[in-house]
Amino acid sequence: MNEYLQYNHISLQDSRDSTKGRYVRAESALPKGTVIITSQPLGTTALPQTLNEYCNYCFRKQTSPPLQRCSQCKKAYFCDMACFKNAWLSYHQYVCNKSRQAHRYAEDDMDLEMLERVALNVMRYRKRTQKETIQDPTDETVEVTMEAFFSLMGHDQLQPRVIRERHQTLASEALKKPFLQQTGLTVDELVHYLNVFKSNNFSIDDMDLFAVGEGTYPIAALFNHSCRPNAVVMFEGALASIHAIEDIEADTEITISYVDAAHSRMYRQNALREKYFFNCQCDRCSESSDRPYLSKIDTLLGEEESDWDRAQQLLMEYNKDIAAKGESNDQRSRILKEVEEWDLLEMCRKYDRKNDGCPDPNSPLSIASYTHYFIQFFAPYLLTWDRPDLHQQSIGSTLKTSLTDFDDPLHSQAKPKVQPTYDEIMSTAIDKMLSYPTPKSSSIIIPYRLNTLSICTRLFYDEMSENHWRNAVKLGMYVLIQYCLIYPPYHPMLAQHFLMLAKACWNSIVQSELITGDKQLEKVYERGVRRWIMSSKEAVSVAFGKHSKLWRETLELEWIFLREQKLK
C-alpha cells in the first residue's frame, strides 16, 4: 500500500494525535485539477430507487440500448453481458434469488448486500495470500485494497448500543447463508466490517452529483475530513478518484469533506460525531490564524431549519397549491415576490463595475442588492485573481472560435475595489456582509441565511422546470453568491452551478427574443452567458476534467452562443 501511495506522490503519516490519527500528505506539489489517486471499490450496492437506471456493476447510466434485467432474479440490471459476467463471477451467482425477502428498512438490505460482497472478497484474498504474488506499485492491486481495508477503523467500542445490536443481527443473518459459512468468517468479524462501513463508506455519485449507490473504497477512506477541503472524491462509474481543487504544496495534508459544506456548523459537528466519532477542528470550524474569515462563514449562514421545519414548509407549499387563491404569507411566497419585483436591468446599471455602487449601509440587504453588490467581488475574481491572462485583452474577442477570457476589468481597475488575493477578497466581502444591519422583523428575508439559500435553491429548480427563465437567472445568481462563500472556487458544486446559470441566461435570451424583444436586457443576458460559460470552463476542467459530460455540455453551449453572436 505504501508503495502505491508513494508512486502517486502521497504518503500516509502518523499525526501522533489520538483524535486525528493518520493523515495523507502530499510529497510533491499537486496543481489543482490533478487526479491525485484512484480508488477501487471492495464492494458496491445500488440505491433502490436507481436499480433500473444505472448498471448495478459499473454504475454507468445507459439509455440506448436499455439496461438488461437479470432473467433469473429479475432484480439486478446490467449494461451489457461483460458487466453481467463480472458481477456473476464476483457475487451475483450467490445472491441471485427470486424469493429473496426484503427487510423492513432499505438500509438493512444495502448493508447486508455490502457485507456479503466484502466477505466474499475477504475470503478470496485469504485464499490468494497463500500464493506468492508480485506487487506492481503503479496499480492498485488486490493486496493494496485489502491492506487499506484492514487498516480502517470501525470504532467498535464507540458505536451506540442500538447500532451494535443491529449489526449483530445482520451479521448473524448473513452467516446463515451457505456461501458465507464457507468463508470461515466469524460473527465478530462481520460486525467489525459493518462498523467499518458505517464510518468509512462513500456515496457513489453520477456526473450530475446525484447519489446512485454506496461503496467501500479503502484507499479513498484514508483521507481525512475538512469542512474546507483541498480535494474532492469524484466518480467515473464505480471508480473513485481524488481530485485536487486547490494548488496543494508539498508536505501539505490532503483533505476531503465527509459531509456537505452547505450545512451549519452545528449540523456538521453533530453528523461527524455521530458517524465518525470526532470533533472537527478544521479552519472553518475553529478560528484559523491563517484564514480567520473562514470561521465567520457560519456566523453569516446561521442555523438551518430542522427536519420538522422543512416538513412544515413543504406542507405549506402543498396547501398553497390546493387552497383557493389568496395572499400567502409563507417565506417562499415572500421570496418569490421579492424576485418578481427585482429589476435586473436597473440593478445591472447600478452595479456595473464602473461605479462604486453600494447598498445603503444603514439598511438591511435585500436579496437583489446582496446579489448584485457582492457578485462584483466574486465573479469572476475568485477564479482569476492570480490569472490576469483570463481578462479580455482586445475588443471583439466574442467573435473567436472559443471564449478564452472574461470581459470584466482586471481586479485592480474594478469598482468597487477588488482585493488582489483570494483570501483578501473573501475576508473583505464577509466583513462587509456582517457590517449591514440584521432585520429584526421576521417578515424581512435575510439573504445570507441558510434557510434563505434552501428555499431559493428549490425555487431555482422549480422556476427552470416551469420555463420562468428570468426568475431562474436571478435566483441562480443569488445561489452563486452563497456557494462562493460555502465552497472553494473549483469545487464541483460551483462548477456545476456555473453551467446551469449559463444555460438559464441563454434560455432567457431565447425567451426574450420571442416575447419582449428587449435589446437592452438581452445585452445583459449575453454578458451573463459569456461570463458563466467562461467560469464553467475554468471550474469544470478542474473539478470534473475535460473528458466529462459537463465539459462537453459547456463546449456545446459555447458553440451555440458564439454561432448566434456571429449571425447578429
Side-chain angles (χ1 to χ4, degrees):
M1 180 179 74
N2 288 330
E3 289 80 5
Y4 177 61
L5 298 179
Q6 288 168 7
Y7 176 80
N8 288 278
H9 309 289
I10 58 178
S11 64
L12 198 59
Q13 300 291 325
D14 184 357
S15 68
R16 298 181 181 175
D17 181 325
S18 58
T19 301
K20 183 175 183 178
R22 304 174 301 176
Y23 68 95
V24 177
R25 185 180 73 185
E27 292 301 307
S28 62
L30 301 170
K32 57 180 174 284
T34 301
V35 177
I36 300 170
I37 198 169
T38 58
S39 182
Q40 296 284 352
L42 189 59
T44 58
T45 60
L47 295 180
Q49 61 268 32
T50 64
L51 273 173
N52 62 348
E53 296 179 32
Y54 294 81
C55 174
N56 296 178
Y57 181 78
C58 72
F59 281 85
R60 297 183 189 277
K61 191 169 187 176
Q62 181 172 298
T63 55
S64 181
L67 295 175
Q68 299 298 305
R69 187 173 66 171
C70 175
S71 59
Q72 183 169 318
C73 68
K74 302 188 184 303
K75 294 178 181 178
Y77 291 79
F78 303 98
C79 57
D80 55 29
M81 186 55 68
C83 277
F84 173 74
K85 286 181 178 178
N86 286 329
W88 182 263
L89 291 172
S90 58
Y91 65 87
H92 193 62
Q93 60 179 303
Y94 303 104
V95 298
C96 185
N97 188 345
K98 197 172 185 178
S99 61
R100 180 170 174 143
Q101 294 296 316
H103 288 78
R104 180 180 177 185
Y105 300 107
E107 185 181 358
D108 288 348
D109 286 322
M110 293 183 67
D111 282 349
L112 192 56
E113 285 179 30
M114 186 72 73
L115 184 62
E116 292 167 351
R117 293 172 195 187
V118 169
L120 286 168
N121 283 326
V122 169
M123 177 192 70
R124 294 187 186 106
Y125 172 72
R126 287 181 173 175
K127 288 182 178 180
R128 179 175 177 173
T129 52
Q130 297 172 5
K131 302 174 183 179
E132 198 170 324
T133 57
I134 300 173
Q135 293 193 29
D136 179 3
T138 67
D139 190 27
E140 183 184 348
T141 61
V142 172
E143 286 73 18
V144 169
T145 305
M146 296 307 300
E147 182 182 348
F149 175 70
F150 291 137
S151 74
L152 299 177
M153 295 181 67
H155 305 286
D156 298 345
Q157 303 306 315
L158 297 177
Q159 298 288 351
R161 179 180 174 183
V162 64
I163 297 296
R164 293 200 304 269
E165 291 176 350
R166 174 177 169 270
H167 288 176
Q168 186 82 21
T169 300
L170 288 174
S172 299
E173 181 180 343
L175 276 183
K176 293 177 182 177
K177 301 180 179 183
F179 70 90
L180 285 183
Q181 292 173 0
Q182 298 171 11
T183 64
L185 295 170
T186 65
V187 170
D188 287 345
E189 286 177 298
L190 296 185
V191 168
H192 173 66
Y193 294 165
L194 286 165
N195 291 340
V196 170
F197 301 160
K198 180 176 181 292
S199 297
N200 293 278
N201 276 12
F202 289 86
S203 171
I204 301 173
D205 296 336
D206 65 9
M207 292 307 287
D208 294 317
L209 304 182
F210 291 113
V212 297
E214 288 187 1
T216 302
Y217 290 88
I219 290 294
L222 298 175
F223 291 81
N224 284 341
H225 163 84
S226 171
C227 299
R228 193 73 174 190
N230 53 19
V232 291
V233 182
M234 301 297 290
F235 291 89
E236 188 173 351
L239 179 67
S241 56
I242 310 297
H243 290 227
I245 56 171
E246 292 180 358
D247 292 330
I248 302 174
E249 297 179 359
D251 299 325
T252 302
E253 181 179 4
I254 303 171
T255 57
I256 59 176
S257 185
Y258 296 171
V259 296
D260 187 357
H263 284 295
S264 68
R265 180 181 294 150
M266 182 181 293
Y267 179 99
R268 299 194 312 272
Q269 292 280 11
N270 288 340
L272 292 169
R273 273 194 299 269
E274 181 180 328
K275 187 172 182 180
Y276 304 99
F277 304 99
F278 71 89
N279 292 314
C280 184
Q281 297 295 322
C282 72
D283 287 352
R284 186 171 158 189
C285 289
S286 58
E287 188 169 338
S288 163
S289 57
D290 294 332
R291 298 187 292 177
Y293 66 86
L294 288 177
S295 63
K296 297 179 183 178
I297 292 174
D298 289 301
T299 303
L300 274 171
L301 298 177
E303 292 304 320
E304 57 193 292
E305 59 187 1
S306 64
D307 291 340
W308 175 251
D309 293 331
R310 263 190 294 273
Q312 284 188 312
Q313 178 68 26
L314 290 171
L315 182 60
M316 290 177 70
E317 291 172 15
Y318 172 75
N319 289 336
K320 182 190 71 174
D321 290 337
I322 64 173
K325 290 184 179 180
E327 189 66 26
S328 177
N329 196 39
D330 67 280
Q331 197 173 22
R332 177 188 170 99
S333 296
R334 296 200 304 272
I335 289 175
L336 191 55
K337 182 180 179 182
E338 195 171 319
V339 171
E340 293 279 4
E341 294 172 352
W342 177 344
D343 189 332
L344 188 66
L345 185 58
E346 180 58 33
M347 295 299 282
C348 286
R349 285 171 178 158
K350 182 176 180 181
Y351 303 100
D352 61 358
R353 288 187 170 84
K354 298 176 183 176
N355 302 290
D356 286 314
C358 180
D360 181 358
N362 298 314
S363 300
L365 291 162
S366 66
I367 293 178
S369 62
Y370 172 77
T371 300
H372 282 273
Y373 181 58
F374 288 104
I375 214 164
Q376 297 177 111
F377 296 96
F378 290 164
Y381 300 109
L382 293 184
L383 297 173
T384 67
W385 63 270
D386 60 345
R387 295 282 307 279
D389 57 297
L390 290 178
H391 286 269
Q392 192 175 86
Q393 303 298 316
S394 61
I395 297 174
S397 61
T398 53
L399 299 183
K400 295 179 181 179
T401 56
S402 65
L403 295 175
T404 56
D405 46 33
F406 294 92
D407 64 357
D408 302 279
L410 291 166
H411 66 78
S412 58
Q413 300 167 6
K415 293 183 179 180
K417 182 182 178 182
V418 178
Q419 301 301 315
T421 69
Y422 174 84
D423 288 338
E424 289 177 287
I425 293 170
M426 289 292 291
S427 180
T428 301
I430 290 171
D431 286 342
K432 191 71 176 175
M433 291 174 185
L434 290 169
S435 72
Y436 280 87
T438 303
K440 296 179 180 179
S441 172
S442 60
S443 64
I444 299 177
I445 305 298
I446 304 176
Y448 42 75
R449 293 297 192 221
L450 274 174
N451 289 352
T452 308
L453 172 62
S454 176
I455 294 170
C456 285
T457 302
R458 293 197 294 269
L459 273 173
F460 176 56
Y461 286 100
D462 290 346
E463 294 297 277
M464 285 195 296
S465 67
E466 295 174 13
N467 295 325
H468 297 163
W469 295 111
R470 290 192 178 184
N471 283 352
V473 169
K474 299 170 191 175
L475 288 160
M477 289 168 60
Y478 160 75
V479 171
L480 175 66
I481 298 298
Q482 295 297 85
Y483 280 4
C484 285
L485 288 173
I486 292 167
Y487 300 109
Y490 290 90
H491 193 280
M493 287 294 291
L494 255 176
Q496 183 189 60
H497 190 72
F498 281 132
L499 179 56
M500 294 182 71
L501 191 47
K503 289 179 178 179
C505 281
W506 173 250
N507 285 319
S508 293
I509 293 175
V510 175
Q511 195 173 66
S512 178
E513 288 176 342
L514 292 174
I515 299 174
T516 66
D518 189 331
K519 296 297 182 183
Q520 288 183 307
L521 192 56
E522 189 179 321
K523 287 291 183 184
V524 170
Y525 286 129
E526 285 178 1
R527 283 201 67 202
V529 173
R530 178 196 173 91
R531 178 185 294 155
W532 308 133
I533 288 176
M534 269 299 298
S535 300
S536 179
K537 287 176 70 173
E538 282 299 302
V540 168
S541 64
V542 170
F544 292 88
K546 293 186 177 181
H547 63 283
S548 65
K549 170 176 168 276
L550 259 67
W551 177 255
R552 292 193 297 272
E553 289 181 12
T554 302
L555 295 187
E556 287 170 5
L557 181 58
E558 177 188 43
W559 182 83
I560 293 170
F561 173 68
L562 290 175
R563 184 194 62 182
E564 293 301 314
Q565 292 293 295
K566 290 176 181 178
L567 293 175
K568 288 185 177 180

